[in-house]
Amino acid sequence: MKLLLVEDEPALRSTLLESLRQSGYVVEVAPDFTQAYEKIKLYRYDCVLLDLTLPDGNGLDLLRALKTDDAAAGVLILTARDALEDKVIGLDLGADDYLIKPFHLSELNARLRAIIRRRQFQGQHHIVFRDLLVWPEQAEVLVRGEPLALTRKEYDLLLYLLANPGRVLTKEAIAEHLCGDTVDAADSFDFIYTHLKNLRKKLQEKGADNYIRTMYGVGYKLSNE
Amino acid sequence: MQAHNDKTVPYPLLLYVKLLAATNRYYLALAALLFVVASGALYYGVNAALRHEVDEQLGNQRQLIAALVQAGQPLRPTPFEDQLRVSSHPRPLGLADTLLPDPHEHTLVPCRQLTFQLRQDGKMMWVTLRKSLVETNDILVVVLGVMLGVVLLLLAGVLLLNRWLSGRLWGPFRHTLAALRHYDLQQHRPLVLPTPSIDEFAELNQAVMHLSQRLVADYESLREFTANAAHETQTPLAIMQAQLEQLLQVPALAHDPTAAPLLADLYGATRRLSRLHQALALLSKIENRQFADAQPINLAELLGEKTGQLAPLLEARNLHLHLHLGPTPALRMHPGLADSLVHNLLYNAIKHNQPGGDVTVRLTGEALEISNPGPAISGDPSRFFERFRKHHAAAESPGLGLSIVQQVGAYYGFGITYRYAAQGQRHTLRVAFRPVGPEGRG
């Protein structure tokens, strides 16, 4: 998976780069419009992470350039602006998704997974994790070949964990993923706990290993060891 | 935007008199005063002149009679008996006014008389000459009549002229006024007004244009400032958040069980700070009226979507949701603001609920009502909408939700009212899509 990260803020760029590489992506970076434009024209990417406010241009123009080239790349807009307007324009221009800064890195991973899955395999992609097999298109989960019945939220939670294997997920990130990021996460910690407990129980009933670890005071982690 | 433009604001100027009517009033008053003064002066002047003339005529006649008598001619009676009266008894001498019966009209008519003494044939006689003043009165009437006519014509002329002038001369002023009334700062364009040929209006237009240019510039810079402030603050927050999240992934944290929760708290605080910042940025954007593009909003659909999103929270607190979605009102709002409004109302009802309670949403064509049970809240209900107002001092949320509700309501001219029913202990927030008048508040 090859990504292009267009982000002008050096500290954010390096942190994102590190996180994305840890998640197994091949990442190239472009700190400004000019370099990003060159890279878009020269190379092919699976997905472009696009900051809209660049020092020498508007990210939306890069999006337009990508779309006129008919590039296969998915586009995930990252914007700090309270982007009620830009978001709509971006999506109209053909961006796949958007994230408003500041965002959770785990959320970024989940969105990226979804975009790449949709783009490259027309949805016919499955996720394998240890003894789990998930068909996202059908929302079907198999544990050792046996179907697992999950509620909507439990399924969302599982998919979120699967998008971030081996990463510590904060309670805030999980809460906002499940409830939308306008909810004050602190209000929803208790329900994450409930859902996780149920998910764990269902997995264990089917004989799956207990790979959802609780990180005390922090959150949860899908252990891949 | 549409919604708050449609709100008809009674234009205060209409309560006052039109400039034209006001000037006309003064013209009329002045003309009436002048007319009274001039009529009086004219009446007395003409009257005095005419009497003087009559007196002179009487004097002439007296001299004529005296000369005739001196020449020894007898004083013959005239056919106009009442004009000359000779008496042998003493009568008061000199000029006097008197009323005499008119033989034809059988009324008393004002007369002027002159009485003098004559000695004829050694006998003293008192001769009285009289002249009717009726003719002079007639002249007076004609003069005053003409005068009044001219004044009335003049007034009518002035009124008509003024009306015509106001249509013509005040045209540019009206144009400016209309342009100002329809001016919308949201369009980011300064006013463009013509330069009328009348100096004062040209100056006015220039001043107004200058003002609107400054407004637009200030508005733009304010907008940019808000956007930049949001951007500049969100960037460091984004860096903090991303780096803290990365820090949490460091394997070395596993060796110290106290380090990770500290980081996690820091992470949570960063998140809260950015949430607070977003809310404040939204409030200031609403106050600066930066949400111009309104779209038709299906509130029922939005409510369904939002309650779905908040379902986990409802579930976690064991709250029941009752949705009563009646006919959806036709609303035009900015989608982001509609979203904020509904979200904050629902969120507020969830947050200040009690375990096992309910959130009841009632949507009709006129209003959206969201109610929930809960103990009475002390304090002035109108202050719940203030910023950073918390029901519990220790609450984690900054207390901006209802402020946002109120601002969005004010932006679209919705009437937002809070009600607490002690019976059943229910809090109800009502958003009336038409503003609530004083008589509707109950």
Side-chain angles (χ1 to χ4, degrees):
Chain A
M1 286 302 140
K2 199 169 156 199
L3 306 181
L4 176 64
L5 170 64
V6 185
E7 167 62 60
D8 60 323
E9 195 61 45
L12 194 56
R13 192 170 60 236
S14 62
T15 312
L16 285 174
L17 181 64
E18 188 192 333
S19 160
L20 290 168
R21 282 190 175 149
Q22 278 175 1
S23 301
Y25 295 105
V26 177
V27 190
E28 284 190 26
V29 291
D32 55 34
F33 184 91
T34 322
Q35 290 190 33
Y37 191 79
E38 266 179 38
K39 289 209 152 96
I40 287 172
K41 291 287 172 192
L42 289 176
Y43 310 108
R44 284 183 52 107
Y45 297 95
D46 295 301
C47 190
V48 179
L49 307 179
L50 190 56
D51 183 8
L52 285 190
T53 40
L54 295 169
D56 56 345
N58 188 335
L60 288 174
D61 291 331
L62 281 176
L63 179 54
R64 285 191 190 95
L66 267 171
K67 293 299 157 186
T68 45
D69 288 357
D70 216 11
V75 178
L76 177 58
I77 290 176
L78 312 175
T79 177
R81 217 183 281 166
D82 188 10
L84 290 163
E85 285 84 22
D86 285 350
K87 176 189 97 185
V88 177
I89 302 172
L91 294 179
D92 280 351
L93 284 175
D96 295 76
D97 207 345
Y98 70 94
L99 271 176
I100 292 176
K101 292 185 203 168
F103 46 79
H104 303 282
L105 297 178
S106 46
E107 183 67 30
L108 174 66
N109 277 334
R111 304 281 183 105
L112 263 178
R113 284 286 156 96
I115 291 176
I116 290 168
R117 208 162 55 220
R118 277 203 304 269
R119 294 232 145 221
Q120 287 193 320
F121 304 97
Q122 282 83 45
Q124 287 308 305
H125 179 55
H126 58 272
I127 306 164
V128 183
F129 181 81
R130 291 169 68 156
D131 50 11
L132 269 181
L133 177 65
V134 180
W135 294 94
E137 191 74 350
Q138 291 87 3
E140 197 180 11
V141 185
L142 301 169
V143 185
R144 300 181 176 179
E146 276 200 57
L148 178 68
L150 295 177
T151 65
R152 174 85 214 165
K153 290 289 167 189
E154 285 161 3
Y155 173 73
D156 284 349
L157 186 58
L158 179 64
L159 218 57
Y160 194 55
L161 286 164
L162 286 172
N164 292 283
R167 280 185 71 90
V168 176
L169 302 183
T170 59
K171 290 174 290 185
E172 286 88 357
I174 297 174
E176 287 173 27
H177 180 76
L178 295 186
C179 273
D181 64 354
T182 42
V183 172
D184 204 331
D187 291 316
S188 34
F189 291 157
D190 39 356
F191 92 83
I192 311 173
Y193 174 74
T194 319
H195 283 303
L196 258 160
K197 203 176 70 185
N198 294 341
L199 178 61
R200 266 188 185 139
K201 212 168 88 190
K202 286 183 180 175
L203 282 170
Q204 272 166 3
E205 277 168 5
K206 294 282 173 190
D209 301 330
N210 182 19
Y211 25 67
I212 303 175
R213 302 274 156 80
T214 303
M215 313 299 287
Y216 176 72
V218 180
Y220 302 89
K221 177 172 157 181
L222 188 66
S223 169
N224 44 10
E225 288 149 20
Chain B
M1 197 61 233
Q2 208 62 40
H4 91 262
N5 265 357
D6 288 350
K7 212 170 63 177
T8 47
V9 183
Y11 200 68
L13 260 182
L14 291 182
L15 297 176
Y16 300 103
V17 192
K18 280 204 170 194
L19 181 64
L20 179 64
T23 45
N24 278 345
R25 200 170 283 178
Y26 286 110
Y27 275 135
L28 278 173
L30 180 68
L33 182 76
L34 283 181
F35 175 69
V36 169
V37 171
S39 305
L42 197 65
Y43 179 82
Y44 286 108
V46 172
N47 206 13
L50 287 174
R51 285 161 78 93
H52 183 69
E53 184 61 32
V54 169
D55 291 354
E56 236 168 50
Q57 281 177 20
L58 289 173
N60 287 346
Q61 284 179 2
R62 170 193 176 173
Q63 277 170 14
L64 188 67
I65 289 168
L68 283 174
V69 169
Q70 207 139 45
Q73 291 191 24
L75 203 56
R76 285 189 306 262
T78 63
F80 310 105
E81 187 203 343
D82 55 333
Q83 288 191 0
L84 176 67
R85 187 157 289 189
V86 182
S87 161
S88 51
H89 303 288
R91 295 174 66 96
L93 299 177
L95 287 161
D97 286 320
T98 182
L99 289 170
L100 287 176
D102 184 278
H104 310 293
E105 295 175 23
H106 307 293
T107 51
L108 292 175
V109 293
C111 286
R112 195 79 175 144
Q113 65 178 22
L114 176 64
T115 311
F116 57 93
Q117 280 180 314
L118 269 183
R119 185 179 294 272
Q120 197 180 28
D121 313 329
K123 229 168 42 174
M124 281 306 266
M125 293 193 304
W126 283 265
V127 180
T128 301
L129 288 171
R130 288 190 177 125
K131 211 162 177 69
S132 163
L133 284 175
V134 169
E135 299 83 26
T136 61
N137 274 356
D138 288 350
I139 292 175
L140 261 182
V141 166
V142 168
V143 168
L144 287 180
V146 168
M147 171 92 184
L148 184 66
V150 167
V151 166
L152 285 180
L153 275 178
L154 185 70
L155 271 182
V158 164
L159 285 183
L160 285 176
L161 185 70
N162 267 349
R163 178 154 304 179
W164 180 73
L165 278 182
S166 89
R168 201 183 143 83
L169 294 181
W170 289 88
F173 178 76
R174 292 226 185 80
H175 177 83
T176 305
L177 203 61
L180 275 178
R181 220 175 277 173
H182 292 114
Y183 184 54
D184 183 8
L185 197 52
Q186 306 279 331
Q187 291 170 350
H188 308 273
R189 272 199 304 270
L191 265 180
V192 181
L193 296 168
T195 310
S197 54
I198 294 172
D199 248 8
E200 284 83 351
F201 291 146
E203 249 173 70
L204 174 75
N205 280 3
Q206 220 158 33
V208 167
M209 267 154 63
H210 186 67
L211 181 74
S212 86
Q213 275 160 12
R214 267 203 351 237
L215 270 180
V216 168
D218 285 359
Y219 183 74
E220 276 305 306
S221 72
L222 188 67
R223 226 168 58 93
E224 264 169 41
F225 175 80
T226 315
N228 288 343
H231 179 75
E232 296 307 324
T233 331
Q234 290 294 45
T235 306
L237 278 172
I239 295 169
M240 276 165 72
Q241 194 186 317
Q243 296 195 337
L244 282 171
E245 197 177 337
Q246 270 310 93
L247 205 52
L248 278 170
Q249 314 301 330
V250 174
L253 279 183
H255 302 307
D256 187 347
T258 56
L262 277 180
L263 273 181
D265 286 351
L266 205 51
Y267 187 76
T270 314
R271 195 66 198 152
R272 271 171 63 191
L273 190 58
S274 76
R275 191 180 300 285
L276 166 66
H277 181 267
Q278 273 168 15
L280 285 175
L282 176 68
L283 276 170
S284 84
K285 277 186 86 174
I286 301 173
E287 277 171 5
N288 294 337
R289 311 209 157 259
Q290 288 170 11
F291 292 96
D293 47 332
Q295 296 171 13
I297 295 288
N298 185 338
L299 216 52
E301 210 169 84
L302 185 62
L303 278 165
E305 189 185 306
K306 280 280 151 190
T307 47
Q309 225 174 59
L310 292 168
L313 270 187
L314 289 161
E315 212 179 295
R317 294 175 178 217
N318 201 13
L319 303 175
H320 303 281
L321 176 72
H322 304 298
L323 276 178
H324 305 282
L325 304 179
T328 312
L331 285 182
R332 285 183 66 84
M333 291 176 79
H334 188 284
L337 290 188
D339 194 278
S340 274
L341 178 75
V342 170
H343 175 82
N344 282 301
L345 282 171
L346 287 172
Y347 198 48
N348 183 67
I350 293 174
K351 239 167 52 177
H352 301 113
N353 220 308
Q354 55 197 26
D358 66 274
V359 173
T360 303
V361 179
R362 201 177 298 274
L363 177 69
T364 63
E366 293 86 45
L368 168 65
E369 270 188 12
I370 297 186
S371 69
N372 62 282
I377 299 162
S378 57
D380 180 6
S382 64
R383 301 195 65 191
F384 297 161
F385 297 103
E386 281 176 14
R387 287 175 196 189
F388 302 109
R389 186 84 189 163
K390 297 179 181 186
H391 299 305
H392 320 289
E396 294 236 334
S397 75
L400 287 174
L402 285 187
S403 278
I404 292 175
V405 167
Q406 195 196 28
Q407 286 291 330
V408 174
Y411 188 70
Y412 289 109
F414 298 160
I416 293 176
T417 42
Y418 165 80
R419 193 170 72 230
Y420 179 72
Q423 197 181 18
Q425 298 199 322
R426 288 193 79 80
H427 303 272
T428 306
L429 271 166
R430 180 185 160 92
V431 181
F433 303 124
R434 294 278 163 270
V436 181
E439 74 283 356
R441 232 182 274 273

